[in-house]
Amino acid sequence: MSEYDVLVLGGVGVDTIVQVPELAVPPGDFLPVPPIRDYVAHSGNGVALGFHALGLRTKLVDFLGDDMLGALVLARYAELGLDFSHVTAPNGTPRAVNLVDKAGRRFSFFDGRHPHDLVLPQDFYLPYLQRARHAHIAAPRAAGAFADAHRLGVTTSTDLHAWDGELDWVWPLARAADLVFLSAEAAPERIDDIMLAVLGSGRAQVVVATEGAAGCRVATRDTSEVRRFPAVAPERPVVDSNGAGDGFSTAFMSRWLTGRPIEECVLAGSVSGAFACGAAGTHEELITAEQLAAAVERTRTTT
């Protein structure tokens, strides 16, 4: 039996979150805001912590800076008991500054920081991949793991975020994963075509596009149409949408990995994404398996 249910590669950094009245720069040169805080964040971090909270045996690997932000990351993982290994990053730990408005919507200024040609060394990640059942590749610098995973019979997933279907460097990831997530934000009028193009040109079995409060869309190999699913109403006030996409994908995959029907995967993902919106910060409050099961049941009985 595999030692890890999931190996997450890449996607670790820090978010600095600034709460603002609206996502626009006001006149003048000064605006008082609530306390500005730093959170361990980014997509690989969110997926790994989400799986960990749901009780899956999870391993996270990435580059990490030998700096104050890197120390913040290591302290967070030690506190939560997440199994994390890293290679020292020459340019430090990536970060983002995220503006969050009163409705919980966010805009992110992302500082990727790593050099364009920096790739996660195969001899570093391969021993972990050989002991994993599934691999989630959260960053292009870990894309080399796709070929190794396929050779080993390990299923794969990735998140393309707000991709418009045109950036050439994203296509290799889109075509290589068994399960592909993306946001419809960048090209809402073309999202169905993008999903079907991914499905038709790569190895993906399932493509999921999230649409925030509008729900999500799902395309699978067993049908030629894109299905639409409504969002789940949050059970608590929305304060911050940071981390909602990772909450969705993690819970979706927790069901997909056990062979559950797409409808169950979507419901679990939608409940988890809605839960994430009720907490400040990026991945500070993570839904547990018990909380997810209870919230899914409440949703079923009220719809």
Side-chain angles (χ1 to χ4, degrees), residues 224-285:
S224 60
E225 64 180 14
V226 176
R227 300 173 63 187
R228 301 191 67 171
F229 295 87
V232 168
E235 295 185 319
R236 51 189 183 171
V238 174
V239 296
D240 191 338
S241 62
N242 280 290
D246 297 327
F248 177 98
S249 62
T250 304
F252 184 107
M253 284 189 281
S254 74
R255 299 301 191 262
W256 184 77
L257 288 170
T258 59
R260 303 309 302 164
I262 288 296
E263 295 81 3
E264 290 189 29
C265 299
V266 169
L267 180 57
S270 300
V271 166
S272 180
F275 178 90
C277 292
T282 305
H283 305 111
E284 294 301 294
E285 189 175 347

Side-chain angles (χ1 to χ4, degrees), residues 61-134:
V61 298
D62 196 9
F63 288 100
L64 190 71
D66 183 13
D67 50 25
M68 291 178 59
L69 298 183
L72 183 66
V73 170
L74 294 175
R76 171 75 167 158
Y77 294 162
E79 174 191 3
L80 296 178
L82 178 66
D83 189 350
F84 174 63
S85 298
H86 70 278
V87 177
T88 300
N91 286 20
T93 303
R95 73 183 309 167
V97 175
N98 296 346
L99 306 184
V100 178
D101 70 9
K102 290 182 177 179
R105 295 183 298 265
R106 71 120 194 229
F107 187 90
S108 180
F109 299 90
F110 178 64
D111 161 23
R113 193 172 300 246
H114 296 316
H116 178 70
D117 59 352
L118 186 69
V119 296
L120 206 61
Q122 184 189 49
D123 60 357
F124 167 66
Y125 70 72
L126 191 57
Y128 304 117
L129 185 60
Q130 290 169 334
R131 291 138 61 193
R133 177 178 164 224
H134 179 81

Side-chain angles (χ1 to χ4, degrees), residues 194-207 219-221 223:
I194 294 170
M195 295 172 69
L196 293 174
V198 171
L199 204 62
S201 64
R203 62 180 287 128
Q205 301 300 308
V206 181
V207 181
T220 62
R221 284 201 175 272
T223 178

